[in-house]
Amino acid sequence: GRSNSTSKCPVSPSNLASLVPAPPSLRHFDHIDDDFPYDAETLTPNTRTFFRPGALMALQLCSFFAVVHVYTAAQESYTNNILKEMDPEGKMFETRVIHRDAFPQIVREGKDLRVGTENMQRAILFDDRQKNFRPQNYENGIVIEPFDSDKVVSCHHCWDAYLAEVKEMSRMVGIAFWSSVHFSGDVRKVVSWVRSWEEEGSKQS
């Protein structure tokens, strides 16, 4: 083969990388998180929150075929800041916004879905911490990969990282939709099947 030194159009790895556009900028906003120190006089924001790629679209899609609630271990002020940015018209999440200020047991005991509904056949919880599924004996929960500061950095520079987050959000929508239409009418059957299928896949990979 011809070497780069004799090629008419030499392309080094660095040149090639420069031809590929960076992923889209992550949507973000600055606000005050009162879990951390802040200036009460100037109210200068002390926190920057980034939205996961694909997350807003995923939640909007889920709201078309399901009743979507917010269930978070964050405090009320932080939750309200997020919702004002994410859902300013208040149409996406119906009426239930459950946070730790109203239900402090979330932190110690996990997220009890009976706070939002009595029908466990139709309730599914997506969370990045498996321990939060304890109140329903782990039968109603699907683990979502965490989105942390390292992934925020990676998504700014790497298409593989960016698309991996979109894929994870697509996975969530797919499971939610399948749960909503499954012939059994019981989301727990879908949860059990998804876990078995993904565990088998991880063993084979």
Side-chain angles (χ1 to χ4, degrees), residues 86-101:
M86 181 186 297
D87 186 28
E89 297 181 3
K91 295 181 178 180
M92 196 184 305
F93 297 108
E94 295 293 327
T95 58
R96 296 312 306 267
V97 176
I98 304 163
H99 49 74
R100 76 166 188 235
D101 289 350

Side-chain angles (χ1 to χ4, degrees), residues 145-157:
E145 288 292 323
F147 185 60
D148 55 24
S149 57
D150 289 339
K151 289 187 176 181
V152 169
V153 173
S154 296
C155 285
H156 276 112
H157 306 290

